[in-house]
Amino acid sequence: MRLSSLLGPTAAELAVLIPLWPVFTALLPAARALDFDPVPVPSLDLSQLGRVGLAGDFDSISLYSYKQQNENGFSTNGSQSVITRLPNGAFASLATADAYIETMCSFVMKGGTLAGVVVGGNFTSLGGIEAQGVALLDPKTGKVTPLPGLSGKVSALYCDEPTNTVYVGGSFKGGNSTNAIVWVGMTGWANLPFAGFNGPVSTIAKQAGGNIVFGGAFDGLGNATTPRKKDQQVVNIASSNIEAGGSVASPGFGNPKNIACKTDGEGGEGKTWLLEDNRAGFWKASFQFGFRPTKLRIWNTKQDGRGTKTFRYTALPLNGIMNLTYIDPATGQNASCDARCPLTDNSTVEFQDFTFVNVVGMSGFQIDISEWYGRGGGLNGIQLLQDDIYAYAINDFNEPTCSNLTTASSATSSGPWQTKQSGQSSSQYLSATFDTPPNSDSASVVFTPDLKQSGNYSVTIYTPGCTQDNSCANRGSVNITGTLASETRELPPLQTEVTQTNDFDKYDEIYNGFVSASGGSFRPTVTLTPSSGQKNGLVVVASRVRFELISSTGGLSGLYEFNPNEAVADTDFTSSIDEAGMSLGSGAEISNVVVHDKIAYVAGNFSTSDFNNIFAVNDKSSSALTGGGLNAEVTTMYLNETSLFVGGNFTNTSKDDTKGLNNVALYEIPDKKWLPLGAGVNGPVNEIVPIVINVTANQPEDVIALTGDFDELLAFDGNPAAAVEGLAIWVPSKKNWLQTVGSQAPSIRGKLTATADVPGSGALYAGTLAAQGQGASGAVTLATSGPLGIRQLPIKIKAEGPEQGGKRKRAEGDVKGQNVTGVVAGYFYANGGRNVTILGGHFTAEATNGSTVENLMFINGSNSDRVTGISSGLKDDAVVLALGVQQDTLYAGGSLTGEVKGSDVNGLVLYDLILGDFVETQPPAFSGEGAVAVNAISTQPNTGNVYVGGSFESAGSLECPSVCYFTTATSQWNRPGTGLSGIVGAMAWSDSAKLVVGGNLTINSTATSLATYDSKTHVWSLVDGAQGANGVPGPVTALAAADDAMSEFWIAGASTNGSAFLMKYDGNSWSSVGHLLGKETEVRGIQVLSLSKDHGKTGLLRQDQTLLLTGRLDLPGFGNASSALFDGTTFTPFILSNSGSSPGSLSRIFSQNPVNFRSGRGRLAVGFVVLIALAISLALIFILVVVGIVAERIRRKREGYMPAPTAMFDKNNNMERIPPSHLFGRIGQPASGGPGGAPMI
């Protein structure tokens, strides 16, 4: 076949296009560059708050900036996605598959038009569209176009632009090909001239000259073959639902089941089925499983001269009359029939066999009898046989015991299996649900086939789709083991894992190779069990296993070079590639082929005297790489210009001359030299994928991602070993692992299996990832000026690995009762000009000096961000849930115990922030019948009283349930009133004398979620409307003021039915936001914040306010979010985070300054207004005084006033000139100014 001319004029030379599936005249319009949909930046006004922090449990975090972002953790059940990188460094899914994606390539047509990205794997759906193993994806829109026609798994793709051809390899069937086929332009599937291979294809590459190289686990060209012993499996008719029409009423002859399981032609009562006299009729069998019969065997009746003369066979539910061939007993010649197939009445003919011309699947059939011998028709026996060798999980579907087979196929099961109806599947199947995480001993199904001949078989296991039984959310993976060869032939035991997350029915090839026939004491077996380490509620299914005999031309060994320009495939195998493969010997498996500068680098699992597991081959000969190759299997390669990255299960070169090549290595082609990547990893590497990430802030960089079965980066060159979870990222520019670089790069968890460069758009990736744009652990700060952004704190909180799982603590005294990890509380300490960030929770971190910090951390911004912890005293399982500072003393509360300064502590500990040590004399410890925890700490304004709320009953010897306050002046506990009990979750002061408390409370025998305390009267009171059916529906876990006086406030918590609630109290009545939050929501913190830009009018919030929620939020229509903003009408995701393989969470927001509620944009609170007005008044008075003085001087000058002389004068001389009578003579006389002696001015 000349593939280069498939769309040209030489159409006569084409391989026949597969007619069984649709021919596409157009797939998609030209795919364009990826578009990302930005979301508006929230107009938060944080300027009044000083520093603002966020505490939580996460290792990567980002603002919600693009609609494509989400907080989904990476999938661990086997499903994967096509992933794109967003401009902010986060990753988002374009289309999700229900199983693995193994390969991708960009399908660029002649002229440069991008038709889309071809995606291959073992999935049955992509982007919610049914697609068996392969599909075309529009990278701009995410639209999926299935490419129907294949059945199985696609493992390798090569998109060849010059010929508009996609070469497809794997383990599948399509048209007349097996394991290799091509998709041509916009036309459809075409068979290759050699009909594929007799084993799976793992890799496809193109030589410099245009030839295509296939690599895999095959030893010849060709398709599957028919067995030497045909029609060997008996279809179990006895277990079907049998009915008939026109049966006689005679006892012993009218039951159609009389003939269902016969291996002889014996007739008589109870053994023969008869029709009524002179009447046509039918015999029908309906099955709960599917089959593909190849032969029909019928025993005609001779009862009382009766018999069937003609019949027809109708396949159900197809309702198609089948074409049959047979040997005419009278002539001995081959003949054919359809609607009128004859049966002889010759008594010497025991039975007649009819062979199906077309082998099709069916789940029932009907025999219609149209003519008869004697008085009526009838039969003595009927049997169906097929070439396919199946073993069903439901044993009733296997070969019947009445068939007299010594090695009939069978199955045995153990565990909580139940039979499920077929739905979309071709047969019923078994299903088991496990309330607790299962292991291999929890359940099993052992399949035992009936193999009549030894040979090379393709063994496949069928998995029913999950949509038909609504179990997709609970599906996982199963472990497959087996024994396939007798003692006379040594073969390693079968062991593999199969995912069961497929939406639609699928099959997976679990083995390809030699299988011994049943005989003697040996029976081949395949065993299915649940894989270990999966979740509660896991659903496992079991259907059937198929054994298909294969054969081929032979002569190959995992490599084949195909020339697309030749009409007939070369079977001489004389190319250098073919000869190199044949030199590897039998059993060689090729995993990867890459081509560089006319040299093909071939890797896999093989060994010769010249090279091991990897070698190079040019157009003339093959040669070993430096060191003779590698000392164990190579599973993956990636070529970056002249650098060849190699992964597998090796530890060194074959000559053991290069240290540090543990499962991954770098081969520099120009230097012909092996180099280590650090010291490698501690387990096999399965995939190497290049990826772009922000190693430093806003600086995208190419790095190398390794995926495999490892959990540690090995120590090297002073870098300690580091724990990972099967994903490691090598940063070439730093010659180090991303996990140990210590930059602001994102924390990435998951698996990567493939990549495809999209012209003009960058790369797409395949796999499953949990990553946000910025790597940060436990706590971050928000920018309060300039553009809104997240800033990393200089802390290193260690990821919780499997060995730390026991440290995860359930805070039982916490009203939330959640498992606590990460940072729960934060505080900015700024007394005396200091700059210390305090973080508390349940975590392990690294101090600046390299020591370990647990659960309480200090970051001294005044001392180069030095990170310190506390001295020993608290137990390692402590959980800090609340922080407060009075003067220079830190109050740290939570679920914590220990011995500090010789005193027992429980629930609360005091720490001197000046001395950097615990307070010498600790307050008396809390106690109670249940778990003790301090959940809230609040200092009473204008006093030295520190109020503490939580779950406790006494403080030392003082009975002080739920809320207690510590007077710092006297260093003693005091009880605030009486009548309160329960668990306190949140507290806040509305003024200097009124405390608002939320939780799961009781006041004087009345249950409530809210209470107030008056410190002047020492009385606890209920909050109006909080009780009763229309009140607060459950314990309050978060509380926030809505105005300065806290006459209005917000509360959040969990209803008694488990759902989250969010409500506002306006001073008179309660308002709920309704059901805007999903059922999985857990609200841990709320805070009203100011806006710089108004939103629309609502009845719950001012236009210049928004409500911030933190926790683990479930937003309908979006999914998980760690924080969201509420404008009174809708929730908008604000911050997304991840923690390990799961969505992250935020506990609360904390700020340096308290929130100051303005009465409206541009109008300050009354106190500030008064002060400003007073200042303005004083300024105006001063100006008026100055103006008055100036005006008076001007007036006097205009009226002729002269300044008084300033020269000294002779007082005595003047006194001589004025007679004394002039000075005193008028005393006592009336003034001349008028009556009454009023002086004249």
Side-chain angles (χ1 to χ4, degrees):
M1 177 177 70
R2 187 171 291 112
L3 286 176
S4 59
S5 62
L6 278 175
L7 299 180
T10 56
E13 300 176 1
L14 300 183
V16 177
L17 289 173
I18 298 171
L20 198 57
W21 298 284
V23 176
F24 284 63
T25 57
L27 292 174
L28 288 172
R32 297 161 287 174
L34 279 68
D35 280 347
F36 304 109
D37 302 318
V39 297
V41 178
S43 54
L44 297 180
D45 181 3
L46 306 177
S47 57
Q48 60 175 319
L49 301 180
R51 299 182 68 198
V52 177
L54 293 165
D57 181 15
F58 54 86
D59 55 30
S60 65
I61 190 169
S62 69
L63 295 175
Y64 176 60
S65 303
Y66 295 90
K67 291 183 180 180
Q68 288 82 2
Q69 277 184 262
N70 62 62
E71 200 179 78
N72 298 338
F74 75 79
S75 170
T76 58
N77 66 356
S79 60
Q80 295 183 347
S81 300
V82 178
I83 302 166
T84 183
R85 181 181 179 274
L86 299 174
N88 65 350
F91 292 88
S93 171
L94 281 182
T96 298
D98 59 8
Y100 290 137
I101 297 173
E102 298 193 10
T103 181
M104 297 192 301
C105 68
S106 292
F107 189 15
V108 179
M109 309 288 286
K110 285 182 179 179
T113 301
L114 176 66
V117 175
V118 186
V119 183
N122 72 338
F123 49 82
T124 66
S125 71
L126 181 66
I129 304 298
E130 183 174 5
Q132 294 285 341
V134 64
L136 192 68
L137 173 73
D138 184 335
K140 175 181 173 62
T141 65
K143 179 184 177 182
V144 174
T145 300
L147 306 180
L150 303 187
S151 179
K153 177 177 68 174
V154 172
S155 302
L157 293 167
Y158 184 83
C159 293
D160 190 36
E161 179 179 351
T163 60
N164 285 348
T165 302
V166 181
Y167 291 86
V168 182
S171 175
F172 57 78
K173 290 184 180 298
N176 294 321
S177 295
T178 302
N179 303 325
I181 200 169
V182 292
W183 178 274
V184 183
M186 297 297 186
T187 308
W189 295 111
N191 294 310
L192 289 162
F194 50 87
F197 300 93
N198 70 333
V201 173
S202 303
T203 181
I204 304 173
K206 185 177 182 180
Q207 287 277 54
N211 286 357
I212 303 299
V213 178
F214 295 88
F218 50 80
D219 59 16
L221 306 175
N223 213 323
T225 186
T226 57
R228 294 190 304 272
K229 299 179 181 180
K230 302 181 66 176
D231 313 318
Q232 292 300 300
Q233 185 158 58
V234 178
V235 178
N236 194 341
I237 297 178
S239 65
S240 66
N241 180 30
I242 298 173
E243 55 185 311
S247 302
V248 298
S250 302
F253 292 97
N255 188 350
K257 294 183 179 180
N258 289 347
I259 63 172
C261 193
K262 300 289 287 291
T263 57
D264 56 40
E266 185 178 353
E269 186 176 345
K271 299 178 182 180
T272 297
W273 168 72
L274 297 177
L275 287 173
E276 291 182 344
D277 292 352
N278 300 313
R279 177 177 174 179
F282 69 88
W283 188 96
K284 180 180 178 182
S286 300
F287 299 77
Q288 297 298 327
F289 62 95
F291 54 92
R292 301 196 320 150
T294 55
K295 179 185 289 186
L296 170 67
R297 178 168 291 176
I298 294 181
W299 286 266
N300 203 355
T301 185
K302 312 296 189 301
Q303 185 74 32
D304 300 329
R306 294 171 176 259
T308 297
K309 190 173 184 179
T310 60
F311 73 94
R312 72 182 179 202
Y313 181 103
T314 303
L316 303 175
L318 305 176
N319 290 321
I321 299 174
M322 301 301 294
N323 295 321
L324 305 175
T325 61
Y326 64 98
I327 297 177
D328 189 332
T331 65
Q333 301 296 312
N334 288 327
S336 61
C337 63
D338 44 35
R340 292 169 55 84
C341 292
L343 285 177
T344 182
D345 62 350
N346 189 335
S347 60
T348 63
V349 177
E350 182 182 1
F351 57 81
Q352 285 182 254
D353 286 339
F354 295 84
T355 301
F356 290 85
V357 175
N358 300 307
V359 179
V360 298
M362 61 191 73
S363 60
F365 69 94
Q366 180 171 308
I367 301 292
D368 292 287
I369 298 175
S370 55
E371 295 180 90
W372 50 89
Y373 297 105
R375 289 181 298 168
L379 297 172
N380 273 3
I382 188 169
Q383 190 178 58
L384 275 181
L385 300 106
Q386 61 183 3
D387 288 343
D388 296 339
I389 307 298
Y390 284 102
Y392 289 87
I394 299 176
N395 201 41
D396 287 345
F397 299 167
N398 289 311
E399 292 177 304
T401 55
C402 59
S403 58
N404 295 329
L405 298 172
T406 58
T407 58
S409 60
S410 63
T412 57
S413 61
S414 65
W417 297 103
Q418 294 182 337
T419 300
K420 289 286 186 179
Q421 296 302 314
S422 58
Q424 302 166 352
S425 300
S426 61
S427 66
Q428 290 181 337
Y429 56 94
L430 296 182
S431 176
T433 302
F434 303 92
D435 295 332
T436 58
N439 55 40
S440 58
D441 297 326
S442 301
S444 68
V445 176
V446 180
F447 301 89
T448 306
D450 180 15
L451 295 186
K452 298 297 193 296
Q453 67 184 84
S454 300
N456 290 327
Y457 284 83
S458 172
V459 183
T460 53
I461 190 166
Y462 286 73
T463 304
C466 61
T467 56
Q468 61 188 325
D469 61 2
N470 296 316
S471 64
C472 295
N474 296 320
R475 291 283 189 95
S477 59
V478 292
N479 193 38
I480 306 297
T481 58
T483 302
L484 302 177
S486 63
E487 297 178 354
T488 59
R489 181 150 182 172
E490 293 186 6
L491 285 177
L494 166 65
Q495 184 167 1
T496 189
E497 191 171 60
V498 172
T499 60
Q500 296 196 326
T501 55
N502 46 293
D503 291 341
F504 306 96
D505 291 2
K506 70 161 183 171
Y507 75 85
D508 291 281
E509 185 178 66
I510 57 176
Y511 177 77
N512 189 291
F514 181 83
V515 181
S516 297
S518 303
S521 61
F522 174 76
R523 300 291 304 280
T525 60
V526 173
T527 302
L528 179 150
T529 60
S531 297
S532 300
Q534 300 187 82
K535 59 186 177 183
N536 296 338
L538 179 73
V539 173
V540 173
V541 293
S543 177
R544 62 193 187 276
V545 175
R546 178 184 181 183
F547 288 73
E548 183 179 22
L549 189 67
I550 57 176
S551 67
S552 68
T553 60
L556 298 177
S557 187
L559 277 175
Y560 177 65
E561 183 175 1
F562 168 61
N563 185 349
N565 295 311
E566 292 183 356
V568 179
D570 177 18
T571 57
D572 293 334
F573 308 143
T574 56
S575 75
S576 59
I577 290 286
D578 297 342
E579 291 178 347
M582 289 185 286
S583 71
L584 303 178
S586 62
E589 297 181 3
I590 305 302
S591 62
N592 217 278
V593 176
V594 298
V595 178
H596 172 72
D597 194 22
K598 299 183 180 180
I599 297 177
Y601 294 85
V602 180
N605 187 10
F606 49 81
S607 180
T608 73
S609 58
D610 297 321
F611 38 75
N612 295 301
N613 304 304
I614 186 170
F615 66 92
V617 56
N618 56 27
D619 58 355
K620 295 181 180 179
S621 62
S622 56
S623 60
L625 300 190
T626 302
L630 296 166
N631 63 0
E633 180 181 6
V634 174
T635 55
T636 181
M637 295 193 297
Y638 166 67
L639 179 64
N640 182 23
E641 295 181 351
T642 61
S643 298
L644 183 62
F645 293 87
V646 181
N649 195 27
F650 48 83
T651 58
N652 208 317
T653 64
S654 296
K655 295 182 179 179
D656 199 27
D657 57 5
T658 306
K659 303 299 182 183
L661 307 185
N662 292 295
N663 304 296
V664 63
L666 171 61
Y667 186 76
E668 290 292 357
I669 294 175
D671 300 331
K672 297 183 179 181
K673 183 178 181 181
W674 289 104
L675 298 174
L677 272 61
V681 295
N682 70 337
V685 172
N686 301 327
E687 302 290 348
I688 298 178
V689 176
I691 187 172
V692 177
I693 63 171
N694 294 342
V695 176
T696 54
N698 300 318
Q699 293 295 323
E701 186 172 337
D702 294 326
V703 297
I704 305 298
L706 315 179
T707 298
D709 300 320
F710 52 83
D711 57 18
E712 185 179 70
L713 307 176
L714 299 177
F716 73 101
D717 295 343
N719 294 282
V724 291
E725 297 179 39
L727 180 68
I729 296 177
W730 180 256
V731 184
S733 66
K734 298 183 180 297
K735 297 182 179 180
N736 207 332
W737 300 105
L738 178 70
Q739 287 84 346
T740 59
V741 165
S743 66
Q744 292 191 8
S747 173
I748 300 178
R749 307 287 184 92
K751 295 180 179 180
L752 284 172
T753 57
T755 184
D757 287 324
V758 180
S761 300
L764 293 181
Y765 309 100
T768 174
L769 289 180
Q772 300 299 334
Q774 183 172 344
S777 54
V780 293
T781 60
L782 288 176
T784 55
S785 61
L788 184 64
I790 293 175
R791 295 174 180 171
Q792 187 182 42
L793 288 170
I795 56 177
K796 296 180 182 178
I797 293 181
K798 299 178 181 178
E800 181 177 330
E803 73 284 354
Q804 295 173 289
K807 288 193 61 181
R808 183 181 289 265
K809 170 108 179 225
R810 185 175 181 84
E812 295 177 354
D814 179 7
V815 70
K816 310 174 188 67
Q818 81 268 17
N819 288 322
V820 177
T821 54
V823 178
V824 180
Y827 193 96
F828 293 116
Y829 169 63
N831 291 358
R834 300 176 185 89
N835 178 16
V836 179
T837 303
I838 307 169
L839 303 176
H842 185 63
F843 55 80
T844 299
E846 182 180 331
T848 300
N849 62 7
S851 62
T852 297
V853 175
E854 291 189 329
N855 308 323
L856 190 59
M857 176 193 300
F858 306 91
I859 309 167
N860 193 341
S862 302
N863 186 16
S864 303
D865 287 333
R866 183 176 177 81
V867 177
T868 57
I870 57 176
S871 58
S872 61
L874 298 181
K875 292 184 178 179
D876 292 345
D877 64 353
V879 182
V880 177
L881 299 171
L883 297 172
V885 173
Q886 172 64 20
Q887 296 181 344
D888 297 311
T889 300
L890 171 67
Y891 291 73
S895 177
L896 47 87
T897 58
E899 182 178 336
V900 174
K901 300 291 185 179
S903 301
D904 290 335
V905 294
N906 191 5
L908 182 73
V909 66
L910 273 58
Y911 190 85
D912 191 317
L913 294 169
I914 301 296
L915 299 178
D917 197 4
F918 289 114
V919 170
E920 193 69 30
T921 302
Q922 295 288 319
F926 289 113
S927 60
E929 291 184 3
V932 169
V934 169
N935 301 322
I937 298 173
S938 184
T939 300
Q940 184 178 8
N942 306 321
T943 73
N945 297 331
V946 178
Y947 280 68
V948 176
S951 174
F952 48 81
E953 296 177 5
S954 301
S957 60
L958 175 67
E959 184 178 353
C960 192
S962 308
V963 176
C964 212
Y965 71 89
F966 187 74
T967 302
T968 56
T970 59
S971 296
Q972 67 178 23
W973 288 111
N974 299 278
R975 180 174 181 176
T978 60
L980 176 71
S981 62
I983 300 177
V984 172
M987 299 190 305
W989 289 93
S990 63
D991 56 40
S992 61
K994 185 177 180 181
L995 179 67
V996 181
V997 177
N1000 189 6
L1001 310 172
T1002 300
I1003 297 181
N1004 298 322
S1005 303
T1006 300
T1008 185
S1009 297
L1010 280 170
T1012 61
Y1013 172 70
D1014 191 323
S1015 65
K1016 294 180 179 179
T1017 62
H1018 307 291
V1019 173
W1020 287 98
S1021 303
L1022 298 171
V1023 176
D1024 292 341
Q1027 299 76 44
N1030 297 321
V1032 180
V1036 171
T1037 60
L1039 174 69
D1043 59 10
D1044 281 320
M1046 205 174 172
S1047 59
E1048 300 181 8
F1049 55 84
W1050 287 86
I1051 60 171
S1055 304
T1056 53
N1057 64 5
S1059 63
F1061 66 83
L1062 179 64
M1063 304 177 71
K1064 182 184 179 182
Y1065 183 65
D1066 64 5
N1068 297 304
S1069 60
W1070 290 94
S1071 299
S1072 172
V1073 302
H1075 301 287
L1076 297 180
L1077 294 171
K1079 62 180 181 179
E1080 301 299 325
T1081 292
E1082 180 183 328
V1083 180
R1084 298 180 182 175
I1086 51 178
Q1087 181 66 63
V1088 176
L1089 297 174
S1090 298
L1091 295 173
S1092 60
K1093 181 180 179 182
D1094 288 351
H1095 56 67
K1097 290 184 178 180
T1098 69
L1100 293 175
L1101 283 165
R1102 291 205 321 249
Q1103 289 179 270
D1104 62 345
Q1105 289 181 345
T1106 187
L1107 182 66
L1108 173 75
L1109 278 72
T1110 55
R1112 183 174 281 114
L1113 311 180
D1114 176 10
L1115 304 181
F1118 176 79
N1120 295 319
S1122 297
S1123 177
L1125 296 172
F1126 180 60
D1127 63 2
T1129 304
T1130 58
F1131 286 95
T1132 301
F1134 177 45
I1135 292 178
L1136 308 180
S1137 71
N1138 286 100
S1139 178
S1141 62
S1142 304
S1145 63
L1146 291 177
S1147 296
R1148 64 190 66 176
I1149 184 174
F1150 58 100
S1151 61
Q1152 185 175 353
N1153 303 322
V1155 174
N1156 178 35
F1157 297 94
R1158 299 179 296 175
S1159 58
R1161 184 166 295 107
R1163 293 177 294 172
L1164 300 178
V1166 174
F1168 285 107
V1169 173
V1170 171
L1171 290 175
I1172 294 173
L1174 179 60
I1176 294 173
S1177 299
L1178 291 174
L1180 290 174
I1181 291 172
F1182 175 76
I1183 292 171
L1184 290 174
V1185 169
V1186 171
V1187 171
I1189 292 173
V1190 172
E1192 177 64 14
R1193 289 180 66 87
I1194 294 172
R1195 184 184 65 82
R1196 287 174 179 267
K1197 187 173 182 179
R1198 287 176 177 173
E1199 293 179 357
Y1201 282 89
M1202 298 297 293
T1206 58
M1208 296 298 295
F1209 54 88
D1210 189 346
K1211 295 180 181 180
N1212 293 329
N1213 290 338
N1214 285 340
M1215 289 296 293
E1216 292 176 356
R1217 294 175 185 173
I1218 302 175
S1221 60
H1222 285 193
L1223 294 173
F1224 306 108
R1226 296 178 65 88
I1227 297 178
Q1229 297 181 10
S1232 61
M1240 181 176 290
I1241 298 177

